[in-house]
Amino acid sequence: MHRLLLLMAIMMNLVMMTMREIISKLKPLNPYGESKNDFDKWSSAQERKPYFWAGLKFFNVYGPNEYHKGRMASDIFHGFHQIKKEEK
């Protein structure tokens, strides 16, 4: 049993090392993405870790003035304009 726990701890450590490498290479496209990436970097760097982390990530936030976002605008924005275009 002790060997199994040791093996699991080693494997988890390897997974976390790989995750840290991936997270450090990410290049967020905007400040919102950067804030999410900052949480990932912070949580993976903690020495004392809880059994489970939860960092909430809202994939797209709808609001006024989304025109400048291009393809990164919310699904609601794109859907609204597609429906409006097809009504003509």
Side-chain angles (χ1 to χ4, degrees), residues 30-76:
N30 54 48
Y32 181 77
E34 194 171 322
S35 72
K36 301 297 123 192
N37 187 245
D38 287 345
F39 173 80
D40 292 341
K41 288 178 185 176
W42 176 83
S43 63
S44 68
Q46 299 306 301
E47 287 187 27
R48 293 185 63 212
K49 295 178 174 55
Y51 176 73
F52 180 79
W53 282 107
L56 302 179
K57 298 180 181 186
F58 298 99
F59 292 93
N60 225 325
V61 178
Y62 174 73
N65 303 319
E66 290 197 55
Y67 297 98
H68 71 281
K69 295 180 183 178
R71 70 177 186 81
M72 297 302 291
S74 69
D75 291 335
I76 295 171

